[in-house]
């Protein structure tokens, strides 16, 4: 895969994804963004969120607008795609607060929306890139953010049952969130197959993310008696035990949603 290049005036930066998409695929990520980043979006005068690389159909951009407006009623969403045919197919879905644009990692915004977005969501975009390219893409996208903005980059399965994402600010990566439909898990390490590109090749002995998933599996096994109540109760108990050894940033309110968030520094690759 070609490395990220400095853009020319007419050529978007990046490569087209496979375009795979499904309704409700990103609901777990959207729910987390609305809860965690909602206050920032509410404080902005004219907040703009970007759905970068939304795919062959515009469902995820449409849903992002609906979900973010539960937290920030003034927010607008722009879906950005590097494939011009996908942009043309999405334009009939434009409405107040929702637009579509042709572009890539340079994140172009339509005229009248301000120069910088307050949120960029890039789901299932970097999975096709080499691990060595991720840092440059992260920096490029974070440089496009408005003050207080957030980049959320991650990977999920085809119907959104399992999802892992990294949240970043212009200062760098902040957190990693693991989210799942709990009934789909045999153990937390099942989420390893959905680690973002920056981490997926680091799930090996000696790397922090491998140790985290190992400890999570152990906490999950110890919480097995709570499975008779529900998978949710088992997850909550496992997360509570995990907090003794790992810097989790959330608590039972988010755990009940089938999520857990840990500080990036605890999982960051040892090299690279």
């Amino acid at each position: 895969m070609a490395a990220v290049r400095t853009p020319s005036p007419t050529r978007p930066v990046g490569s087209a994804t496979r375009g795979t998409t499904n309704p409700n695929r990103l609901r777990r990520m959207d729910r987390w963004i609305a809860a965690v980043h909602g206050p920032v979006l509410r404080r902005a005068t004219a907040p703009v969120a970007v759905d970068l690389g939304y795919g062959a159909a515009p469902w995820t951009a449409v849903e992002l607008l609906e979900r973010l407006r539960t937290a920030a009623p003034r927010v607008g969403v722009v879906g950005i795609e590097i494939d011009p045919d996908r942009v043309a197919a999405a334009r009939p879905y434009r409405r107040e607060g929702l637009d579509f644009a042709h572009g890539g990692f340079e994140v172009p915004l339509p005229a009248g929306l301000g120069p910088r977005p307050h949120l960029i969501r890039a789901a299932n975009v970097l999975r096709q890139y080499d691990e060595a390219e991720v840092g440059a893409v992260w920096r490029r996208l974070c440089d496009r953010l408005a003050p207080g903005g957030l980049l959320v980059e991650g990977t999920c399965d085809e119907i959104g049952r399992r999802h892992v994402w990294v949240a970043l600010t212009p200062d760098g990566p902040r957190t990693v969130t693991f989210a799942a439909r709990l009934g789909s898990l045999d153990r937390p390490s099942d989420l390893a197959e959905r680690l973002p590109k920056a981490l997926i090749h680091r799930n090996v002995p000696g790397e922090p993310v491998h140790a985290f998933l190992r400890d999570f599996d152990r906490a999950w096994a110890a919480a097995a008696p709570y499975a008779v109540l529900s998978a949710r109760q088992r997850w909550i108990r496992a997360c509570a035990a995990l907090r003794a050894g790992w810097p989790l940033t959330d608590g039972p309110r988010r755990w009940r949603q089938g999520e857990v968030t840990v500080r990036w520094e605890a999982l960051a690759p040892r090299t690279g």
Side-chain angles (χ1 to χ4, degrees):
M1 188 63 61
V4 176
R5 298 185 294 272
T6 301
S8 70
T10 59
R11 183 185 179 95
V13 180
S15 302
T17 65
R18 290 185 304 157
T20 306
T21 188
N22 280 303
N24 279 323
R25 188 183 189 188
L26 302 182
R27 61 193 179 279
R28 301 181 193 281
M29 182 185 274
D30 292 350
R31 182 175 60 198
W32 183 87
I33 292 171
V36 172
H37 199 50
V40 172
L41 297 175
R42 285 194 296 272
R43 288 194 295 270
T45 302
V48 176
V50 166
D51 185 10
L52 183 63
Y54 56 83
W59 317 137
T60 60
V62 173
E63 292 166 352
L64 182 63
L65 177 67
E66 294 170 350
R67 291 171 182 144
L68 289 185
R69 284 199 164 177
T70 66
R74 297 191 305 274
V75 72
V77 168
V78 179
I80 294 179
E81 251 296 338
I82 202 166
D83 184 334
D85 291 338
R86 295 175 186 174
V87 178
R91 286 204 162 130
Y93 294 87
R94 286 187 295 182
R95 62 175 188 262
E96 185 275 324
L98 179 63
D99 204 350
F100 298 91
H102 179 221
F105 296 140
E106 74 282 9
V107 191
L109 295 182
L113 289 183
R116 296 178 183 272
H118 299 80
L119 169 73
I120 300 173
R121 184 189 67 184
N124 305 301
V125 171
L126 297 188
R127 197 169 181 86
Q128 67 180 350
Y129 288 80
D130 292 335
E131 181 184 355
E133 297 179 276
V134 171
V137 174
W138 279 359
R139 287 190 294 273
R140 179 183 291 277
L141 295 179
C142 284
D143 285 347
R144 289 289 294 121
L145 291 170
L150 191 71
L151 165 64
V152 182
E153 187 271 311
T155 305
C156 70
D157 66 1
E158 288 73 12
I159 58 175
R161 296 172 303 174
R162 301 176 183 181
H163 209 153
V164 187
W165 60 81
V166 182
L168 307 94
T169 70
D171 294 326
R174 314 305 290 178
T175 61
V176 184
T177 298
F178 298 78
R181 181 180 181 275
L182 298 179
S184 75
L185 292 182
D186 289 328
R187 54 188 180 178
S189 62
D190 291 347
L191 288 162
E193 65 185 15
R194 297 302 165 185
L195 287 167
K197 193 66 176 190
L199 295 174
I200 194 166
H201 300 302
R202 304 306 183 118
N203 185 31
V204 294
E207 286 285 350
V209 70
H210 182 271
F212 175 80
L213 291 170
R214 177 203 63 204
D215 289 354
F216 205 170
D217 280 352
R218 291 173 177 172
W220 179 256
Y226 291 93
V228 299
L229 301 177
S230 67
R232 175 183 293 174
Q233 288 301 316
R234 186 179 184 183
W235 177 269
I236 290 170
R237 294 292 176 169
C239 291
L242 195 63
R243 186 162 55 183
W246 293 90
L248 306 188
T249 65
D250 52 8
R253 185 173 181 179
R254 300 309 310 170
W255 301 342
R256 288 181 60 82
Q257 305 296 324
E259 301 169 7
V260 65
T261 299
V262 62
R263 293 189 63 82
W264 165 260
E265 306 91 87
L267 303 188
R270 292 197 182 280
T271 59

